[in-house]
Amino acid sequence: MDKLAIVVPCYNEEEVLKIASLTLRDVLEDLIHKGKISDDSYILFVNDGSTDRTWELIEEEHAAYPTRVCGVKLAGNVGHQFALTAGLITAKDMSDVTISIDADMQDDVTVIEEMIDKFHAGCDVVYGVRKERKTDTFFKRTTAQAFYKFMNLMGVKTIYNHADFRLMSRRAVEEFSKYKETNLFLRGMIPLIGYRTDSVYYDRKERVAGESKYPFKKMLALAFNGISSFSIKPISMILGSGIMIIFLSILAAIYALLSYFMGHVVPGWTSLILSIWFLGGMQLIAIGLVGQYIGKIYLEVKGRPRYNIEKILTGSGTKDA
Ligand code: UDP
Ligand code: MG
């Protein structure tokens, strides 16, 4: 039987912690009762340097349900993505499968069973995907959707409308832990792991209590981090625009020379216009070229795994890698 760990990052979530604990304990009991997970499955709350009573509440829950509720206390606030990573990597050696979910219970816990079913059917990663965003404000909805579209345009593969509610098998977390980068953007990294994946669909609810810990500023930072951690396309765009301007400078040259020979130009204008266009283009190309090398260095220093072998067929039989 597979042991499930539900990983919950918490930052100043005193209003919702008890509700989250109760809700998730019910989910676990139900799944254990149905024989889908082992009876030592547990919830792992990760306290991300909260300044309120969140950690005391986690301790209380752990005292009341020692095997069911566990906790990790981070020494300070490191942000959602790091807190979640800390939780997943801690849970990896103490479980067969993990599910990450936010503390505010906006994500529908009833699809957890479906996630587990898909895991048993052979999926290593199951994404929770929002059907609609009725409960989000108009502003959050449009900005978030524009964000996914823009990410795609920039060449970052993400699952549309999927946040960080997902199931990962132990070997998927194991592979994920090999990504040593500091600029974490989990939604972009998980698809790089490979393996069989699937999605479950749900309606996102309102926060049960408290306020969003993701104000617009943090969302912008996440979006920028998402693009800059995965794509060197912006650099290629500089190079591209340099090449375009060099072409335009040919048109500008024709125009400037024509005007010159027609004779109605101020002295000095032709040579000025020609050099502005040509030099502008050359400078952009030069910056773009240097950028290409920096981009490559950037991708090298990340030291990401180059591939992930799932199975090997040899003379002595099939081996799981
Ligand atoms: N969170 C965290 N550290 C932070 C900010 C948020 O661990 O610095 C957690 C938070 O407690 C919640 C999850 O990340 O469990 C998502 O945050 P929130 O629900 O506020 O984001 P939203 O749903 O509004 O995008
Ligand atoms: Mg939320």
Side-chain angles (χ1 to χ4, degrees), residues 61-75:
E61 286 294 294
H62 175 66
Y65 311 94
T67 54
R68 204 56 88 216
V69 180
C70 304
V72 172
K73 186 183 187 192
L74 296 176

Side-chain angles (χ1 to χ4, degrees), residues 23 39 43 79 89 117-118 184 198 212-213 305 319:
T23 316
D39 62 3
I43 306 163
I89 289 179
D117 289 342
K118 292 198 192 265
L184 283 184
D198 205 342
S212 171
K213 307 293 180 292
K319 254 196 336 214

Side-chain angles (χ1 to χ4, degrees), residues 179-219:
Y179 286 70
K180 300 290 181 206
E181 58 205 78
T182 313
N183 290 288
L184 283 184
F185 184 66
L186 268 61
R187 277 166 242 184
M189 292 162 72
I190 309 297
L192 299 178
I193 293 173
Y195 294 133
R196 207 171 120 195
T197 65
D198 205 342
S199 301
V200 295
Y201 298 87
Y202 66 98
D203 284 313
R204 195 165 204 211
K205 291 176 274 191
E206 310 251 10
R207 239 177 187 279
V208 286
E211 276 165 23
S212 171
K213 307 293 180 292
Y214 261 103
F216 186 59
K217 222 174 105 192
K218 263 197 195 171
M219 262 176 53

